[in-house]
Amino acid sequence: MSGGTRLENANPLIFQRSGERLLTATDEDEDLADPIDDREIFDILSNQKPHLRSCFLNGLSRTLTSLHLIRSISDPEHPLSLEELNVVEQMRVNVNDEESTVSVEFTPTIPHCSMATLIGLSIKVKLLRSLPDRFKVLLVSSQTHLINKQLADKERVAAALENSQLLEVVNQCLSTRTM
Amino acid sequence: MVALLPCICINRKALKQEAGSELLYEMKGALELLQRVSAHADASCWYVAWSPAGTLLASCGGDRAIRIWGKEGDSWECKSVLADGHQRTVRKVAWSPCGKYLASASFDATTCIWKKTNDDFEFLTVLEGHENEVKCVTWAPSGNLLATCSRDKSVWIWEVDEEDEYECVSVVNSHTQDVKHVVWHPTQELLASASYDNKVCIYKEEDDDWGCRATLEGHESTVWSLAFDPEGQRLASCSDDRTVKIWKESTPGDGSTDESWKCVCNLSGFHGRTVYDVAWCRLTGALATACGDDGVRVFREDPTADPEQPVFFMSAHVPKAHGQDINCVSWNPKEAGLLATCSDNGEFAIWKYNSDS
């Protein structure tokens, strides 16, 4: 999956948040030929490191706010995370490395269907870009089946991401702010 | 291109077939890998199609290109690259029955027609009209008709005349969602379509009007592909619900023209994920499937079963035929047992199927 974004690098794990820089093992490793550490990727998606997860959601909420898609109730320079804004209530993640499967369940609380689809699409793209090709990704919204069927349809997802406007919005949602 | 060791699986007990009874068949068949080709770099290979003579293979993919492959000695080499026809993913390609034309369906909402001149292909014309992504294009056996379908929920039927002029003669809106695939009957002017709305539609021309004459319901999720058997008596459909269903047309004995299609066989429990494609071999009657669990499977029909209740058993299975989803499977029309598959990893592979290994 291609697409111009700052996250399209060998290590998708670098996030900067409020001056805090999270270094990863490959960051410190001089040998760039090392494969992506699967454990690190699992951690980013698992509930074990909620602050990493909310970094991603932060970027998502910033873009949605700047696009006036959700009313900002805080200082736009320090937007609240999606969870704090009650846009996504929770994200349940299940990873099986041996079977190469990842399933993520998210609960969007925004009643507007296309918003939930955009959030879902962004999460799906994030997963597809972060994981090795062998992984099968299942992303479900606990709220509505209509979104789930679209997100599970890889032909629909691929075609949607060829729409440059939509791709730009998704990339903005996934971008991280450099301080 | 990388030549890998042949992959053979033999003499494994087939899974029991869902039909209420425990039927165990020995999986006597084998699929041998002949060649693996990296066809579309850094993109999905979405479809492969053999030329009618069986000597060329067309592939298309997410890199927006179509490639024509021919055999040089023992290996398949790229003969042509058709790169400037489409602005987005090329989803499917189809050869005309005479082998002189190639049609390509793209997410850019157009269908291109290419004409074969000597050893190369040149762009002939573009068919426009669909509102968004074209998901499939297919030529009728007569060579005079084409059908396309799209996410705009419609199926278009086009006529082509002797001067290579293409004209849309009908737009049919029978589906309520994205139409994934269209296929023509091998001998009659009859068309079938598969959709995201979980249904299959059958179209016939009556009084100069193309319309949906039957709707096949039963799948519990998107129907991705269809294939008629060699005689055109049965239709196989494959779905996101992980099943393959076989349908047969039944004409009621009372002489009325009411045709209905019934599901006469349900292949359930064989596929781990979405079944993206199904292909019915014209030469041997074997049924091949392409699955999202990275596996390719071949099914054979039990010749002793009642024709009204056919029984299919799995004859061969390669669990990790590709490293990612298999999008398409296609039997060579001239060489029995020769099979092509292609995958999201940009590769296609050529296999030799033997029913008794």
Side-chain angles (χ1 to χ4, degrees):
Chain A
M1 189 152 286
S2 66
T5 168
R6 276 168 287 171
L7 284 186
E8 279 295 288
N9 52 42
N11 192 334
L13 307 176
I14 301 171
F15 285 93
Q16 293 174 330
R17 181 172 180 252
S18 305
E20 181 194 321
R21 178 104 209 283
L22 300 160
L23 290 175
T24 67
T26 41
D27 247 10
E28 291 159 349
D29 197 327
E30 294 303 318
D31 183 0
L32 294 172
D34 276 354
I36 293 170
D37 185 338
D38 288 355
R39 194 54 47 196
E40 296 283 323
I41 293 172
F42 304 153
D43 285 343
I44 200 182
L45 296 172
S46 76
N47 291 323
Q48 266 65 61
K49 293 197 178 169
H51 57 286
L52 285 176
R53 194 179 75 242
S54 65
C55 282
F56 154 64
L57 293 177
N58 243 335
L60 195 54
S61 94
R62 235 190 329 273
T63 301
L64 297 178
T65 306
S66 69
L67 295 173
H68 303 291
L69 293 172
I70 41 175
R71 198 165 43 105
S72 172
I73 55 173
S74 65
D75 175 3
E77 282 301 301
H78 299 281
L80 298 173
S81 70
L82 280 179
E83 275 172 307
E84 289 162 308
L85 281 165
N86 228 31
V87 168
V88 173
E89 266 176 351
Q90 56 183 344
M91 263 198 334
R92 256 191 290 263
V93 179
N94 216 303
V95 173
N96 187 324
D97 185 27
E98 266 169 40
E99 287 176 22
S100 302
T101 59
V102 171
S103 78
V104 176
E105 185 189 330
F106 71 106
T107 307
T109 54
I110 296 176
H112 202 278
C113 192
S114 58
M115 264 312 304
T117 307
L118 176 61
I119 292 168
L121 186 61
S122 299
I123 297 173
K124 179 120 200 195
V125 170
K126 168 70 176 168
L127 290 167
L128 291 171
R129 286 177 181 165
S130 306
L131 295 163
D133 287 339
R134 63 183 167 95
F135 273 90
K136 309 288 184 190
V137 173
L138 177 66
L139 176 64
V140 292
S141 154
S142 53
Q143 197 191 42
T144 160
H145 169 71
L146 291 174
I147 297 171
N148 296 343
K149 194 171 180 183
Q150 280 190 78
L151 291 175
D153 187 320
K154 67 178 187 185
E155 187 187 67
R156 291 286 279 264
V157 170
L161 295 174
E162 285 191 328
N163 176 319
S164 55
Q165 283 178 313
L166 180 55
L167 182 61
E168 184 53 40
V169 172
V170 168
N171 284 336
Q172 279 178 45
C173 288
L174 297 180
S175 71
T176 54
R177 184 160 44 113
T178 48
M179 310 280 295
Chain B
M1 282 166 291
V2 179
L4 294 183
L5 293 171
C7 175
I8 306 177
C9 63
I10 51 170
N11 289 338
R12 287 167 48 191
K13 289 273 186 275
L15 300 172
K16 87 160 154 65
Q17 184 181 335
E18 185 255 26
S21 59
E22 290 258 347
L23 295 166
L24 278 173
Y25 293 88
E26 258 205 67
M27 205 153 61
K28 287 199 272 187
L31 274 164
E32 182 195 341
L33 177 68
L34 297 180
Q35 192 177 350
R36 200 182 285 280
V37 176
S38 184
H40 297 270
D42 297 322
S44 290
C45 183
W46 280 104
Y47 210 70
V48 282
W50 295 100
S51 63
T55 53
L56 297 173
L57 185 74
S59 71
C60 63
D63 61 355
R64 303 160 184 194
I66 300 155
R67 283 169 187 266
I68 313 295
W69 306 84
K71 206 154 180 205
E72 299 251 332
D74 274 335
S75 70
W76 291 85
E77 309 281 337
C78 184
K79 299 290 189 182
S80 290
V81 182
L82 313 178
D84 295 318
H86 291 290
Q87 275 72 60
R88 295 201 184 171
T89 288
V90 186
R91 181 61 180 90
K92 290 198 178 110
V93 282
W95 296 83
S96 64
C98 63
K100 290 205 210 95
Y101 302 88
L102 195 67
S104 56
S106 168
F107 287 175
D108 68 7
T110 72
T111 303
C112 281
I113 310 292
W114 310 80
K115 189 167 183 173
K116 194 168 190 291
T117 48
N118 303 314
D119 273 337
D120 218 333
F121 282 82
E122 59 180 28
F123 172 84
L124 183 67
T125 186
V126 62
L127 308 181
E128 291 171 318
H130 279 297
E131 287 167 28
N132 45 52
E133 303 91 66
V134 187
K135 301 294 175 89
C136 189
V137 60
T138 179
W139 297 80
S142 65
N144 298 123
L145 293 175
L146 261 106
T148 57
C149 65
S150 161
R151 178 168 64 86
D152 66 10
K153 305 170 195 170
S154 68
V155 169
W156 288 45
I157 291 156
W158 310 75
E159 245 175 34
V160 51
D161 65 20
E162 307 82 34
E163 277 111 49
D164 283 348
E165 296 284 320
Y166 291 77
E167 187 194 356
C168 174
V169 296
S170 193
V171 175
V172 192
N173 291 287
S174 302
H175 285 294
T176 54
Q177 294 279 359
D178 183 7
V179 190
K180 300 294 196 186
H181 199 79
V182 272
V183 67
W184 289 95
H185 189 278
T187 54
Q188 300 168 35
E189 247 171 35
L190 182 158
L191 186 70
S193 66
S195 169
Y196 183 102
D197 68 11
N198 308 349
K199 299 179 193 149
V200 172
C201 281
I202 309 287
Y203 309 82
K204 272 194 213 169
E205 195 179 16
E206 264 163 43
D207 299 325
D208 279 337
D209 184 37
W210 281 92
C212 175
R213 310 300 170 198
T215 303
L216 281 50
E217 297 183 48
H219 278 298
E220 288 165 11
S221 189
T222 299
V223 188
W224 277 98
S225 192
L226 302 162
F228 279 100
D229 73 357
E231 295 80 40
Q233 280 167 359
R234 290 156 321 165
L235 179 65
S237 62
C238 65
S239 165
D240 178 60
D241 68 8
R242 309 178 181 188
T243 72
V244 172
K245 294 188 194 305
I246 313 289
W247 311 79
K248 196 173 198 294
E249 190 179 2
S250 60
T251 321
D254 58 8
S256 69
T257 54
D258 226 19
E259 290 143 13
S260 63
W261 291 72
K262 282 203 282 277
C263 179
V264 294
C265 182
N266 185 33
L267 299 175
S268 166
F270 294 98
H271 298 89
R273 289 186 172 264
T274 305
V275 192
Y276 286 110
D277 200 18
V278 60
W280 214 321
C281 183
R282 293 267 164 279
L283 303 171
T284 65
L287 201 62
T289 60
C291 187
D293 66 7
D294 308 351
V296 57
R297 294 164 176 83
V298 179
F299 294 84
R300 296 222 61 115
E301 193 170 355
D302 180 348
T304 66
D306 171 13
E308 295 305 310
Q309 285 191 299
V311 172
F312 285 82
F313 60 94
M314 193 160 74
S315 166
H317 175 207
V318 181
K320 286 282 167 195
H322 290 272
Q324 291 181 245
D325 290 8
I326 307 187
N327 294 319
C328 177
V329 64
S330 182
W331 292 103
N332 186 292
K334 295 294 180 204
E335 192 178 330
L338 200 63
L339 189 68
T341 55
C342 69
S343 168
D344 275 343
N345 66 3
E347 289 178 350
F348 72 80
I350 311 286
W351 309 82
K352 182 75 182 155
Y353 165 69
N354 286 299
S355 53
D356 271 298
S357 59

